[in-house]
Amino acid sequence: MISVSEALDRLFALAPVLPCEEVPLIRAAGRVMRASVTARRDQPPFPASAMDGYGVAEAAPGMVFDVVGESAAGARFEGRVEAGQAVRIFTGAPVPAGVKTVVIQEDVDRSGDRITITDRLGKGDNIRPCGTDFRDGSRFEAPRLLRPRDVALLASMNVPRVQVARRPRVAIITTGDELVMPGEAPGPDQIIASNTFGLHALLSQLGAEPRLLPIARDNADSLRTVLDLADDADLVVTIGGASVGDHDIVALLAEEMGLERAFHKVAMRPGKPLMSGKLGRAMMIGLPGNPVSAMVCGYVFIAPVINAMLGLPAAPAAREQSVLTAPLDANGPREHYMRARRTGAGVAAFERQDSSLLSVLGEADALIVRPPNDPARTAGDRVEIVSL
């Protein structure tokens, strides 16, 4: 068995960085931008009013001005504002020549076309300088996952299209005579295939293009037929059949089909039977069949692999520190990912940690990461967690 860290290193070595494609900005949210861009204008492109009010050359309580015009967003005042003059101005509008300060409308009394500054006059000029947000030529660096606020910034930079990573094509294959799809009527010895749906959701969330293939039965012909359907995939994920039981045929058949195995078995729980390698042009990851094991491996291994394929840094799932609110027994020789729940006071592991209990995983919002042979912990100790 190898460590989780070594398994990740070997997975990253297998993961291809996918090519780029250009998409319009309206379709860029959630994609990984791979080529840096530069702003095509200053923002704001002119000194702009930060408030609704009156633009004047100077301001002090008691000063009186004649209102000689108006400057609105998209319709500037073309003249110059001289001493004793004011221009009605609105938020975002260009500041006319001669204006040094904008007096907010609450700080003046107006009668007809004349205003008087009151003693409520506040501090500041209420003017946004040209380019205060960004300048023409400012760089927006890649690679990065584009969030909605990033798309807004790119639009304001006048960037209409971006280069993004192609979405990884992922074929998901679940194996087992005991499995039926949701909505079907299971026989007395059958269960519902749940892992494929959880992993499909996770992969979609990560920006991949997952595809569910038919359930492969526990025989070589069925599994070979389904594996042949994955010939266009960048990553093939199998679920079940990766252990060492009599019916666990994925590793054996994949090797017959040309799998170059990178490793088999990882010193972790849940998830020990993890397997990976190269099958033709595709990367392959074989997950254990227990539902919690498969999903935990999805967070610990598949999510970092998809990020690497998209061109993001090849790094483990992010960890953070938290405080235990309940004690933990000593850990065994394998790294343990314990389903846990966070509160305002810290984090506590669920009492039941069996790898078949999806209901517990469904209530969890974190995994407590226990190092191998970690001693017993008491409430108040600090531990590492992975957020779910």
Side-chain angles (χ1 to χ4, degrees):
M1 287 190 293
I2 62 175
S3 68
V4 170
S5 177
E6 185 176 352
L8 278 168
D9 286 342
R10 296 190 189 185
L11 288 172
F12 291 144
L14 291 173
V17 178
L18 297 178
C20 292
E21 60 187 16
E22 187 176 83
V23 298
L25 190 59
I26 196 68
R27 291 173 42 211
R31 304 294 297 271
V32 173
M33 189 180 81
R34 289 265 291 277
S36 300
V37 298
T38 56
R40 301 180 179 184
R41 59 178 290 154
D42 297 331
Q43 180 61 25
F46 43 73
S49 179
M51 304 290 285
D52 292 343
Y54 295 87
V56 295
E58 59 176 325
M63 294 185 72
V64 178
F65 302 87
D66 292 323
V67 180
V68 296
E70 179 180 285
S71 185
R76 69 170 62 223
F77 178 79
E78 296 291 351
R80 181 180 184 85
V81 177
E82 305 292 349
Q85 294 180 333
V87 165
R88 180 74 166 114
I89 193 167
F90 299 94
T91 303
V95 174
V99 169
K100 302 300 182 185
T101 188
V102 172
V103 181
I104 65 174
Q105 59 191 19
E106 292 85 358
D107 290 350
V108 305
D109 291 331
R110 179 165 179 169
S111 178
D113 289 335
R114 179 163 291 191
I115 61 168
T116 301
I117 298 179
T118 70
D119 57 8
R120 299 187 298 270
L121 180 65
K123 296 180 179 179
D125 61 14
N126 297 313
I127 295 174
R128 297 168 180 155
C130 175
T132 191
D133 193 0
F134 53 81
R135 287 287 189 181
D136 187 0
S138 295
R139 285 178 63 83
F140 187 78
E141 298 289 351
R144 67 170 71 209
L145 177 66
L146 293 177
R147 305 158 297 179
R149 57 185 178 271
D150 298 321
V151 173
L153 176 58
L154 288 168
S156 68
M157 288 179 163
N158 201 21
V159 175
R161 303 179 69 86
V162 289
Q163 292 285 330
V164 298
R166 175 173 65 75
R167 295 185 187 275
R169 294 188 289 263
V170 184
I172 305 173
I173 303 171
T174 191
T175 67
D177 290 339
E178 76 279 12
L179 299 174
V180 298
M181 296 294 280
E184 296 181 4
D189 299 323
Q190 291 184 306
I191 59 174
I192 308 299
S194 58
N195 301 337
T196 49
F197 289 84
L199 289 167
H200 188 284
L202 176 62
L203 286 159
S204 296
Q205 190 178 74
L206 292 167
E209 287 184 352
R211 179 163 57 102
L212 296 187
L213 295 184
I215 294 172
R217 301 306 172 185
D218 287 325
N219 63 78
D221 288 341
S222 176
L223 180 56
R224 185 185 301 274
T225 298
V226 178
L227 281 171
D228 284 340
L229 297 175
D231 59 354
D232 64 340
D234 302 299
L235 171 63
V236 177
V237 176
T238 63
I239 306 168
S243 189
V244 291
D246 292 340
H247 297 283
D248 297 325
I249 61 172
V250 170
L252 293 175
L253 181 61
E255 288 188 346
E256 288 181 15
M257 296 176 68
L259 175 72
E260 300 173 18
R261 186 188 293 184
F263 63 84
H264 190 185
K265 296 185 184 178
V266 179
M268 67 179 292
R269 60 173 179 155
K272 174 184 172 183
L274 189 79
M275 175 193 71
S276 187
K278 198 81 171 179
L279 184 61
R281 59 174 293 276
M283 182 180 180
M284 182 174 177
I285 299 178
L287 302 180
N290 274 326
V292 173
S293 301
M295 290 303 298
V296 168
C297 287
Y299 290 108
V300 175
F301 297 110
I302 292 181
V305 163
I306 293 297
N307 286 338
M309 294 173 84
L310 290 169
L312 295 171
R319 297 184 183 184
E320 57 187 281
Q321 294 280 321
S322 188
V323 176
L324 279 177
T325 60
L328 293 174
D329 292 336
N331 189 33
R334 289 183 282 158
E335 194 166 293
H336 194 183
Y337 291 79
M338 305 184 74
R339 279 71 74 201
R341 177 184 289 155
R342 289 182 293 183
T343 66
V347 65
F350 286 93
E351 182 177 350
R352 299 192 300 163
Q353 292 289 325
D354 189 279
S355 60
S356 68
L357 302 177
L358 276 175
S359 60
V360 175
L361 182 63
E363 293 182 34
D365 59 9
L367 299 171
I368 296 174
V369 185
R370 305 289 306 281
N373 303 308
D374 192 41
R377 299 300 191 109
T378 61
D381 285 353
R382 299 191 70 81
V383 291
E384 285 192 323
I385 65 170
V386 173
S387 294
L388 297 180

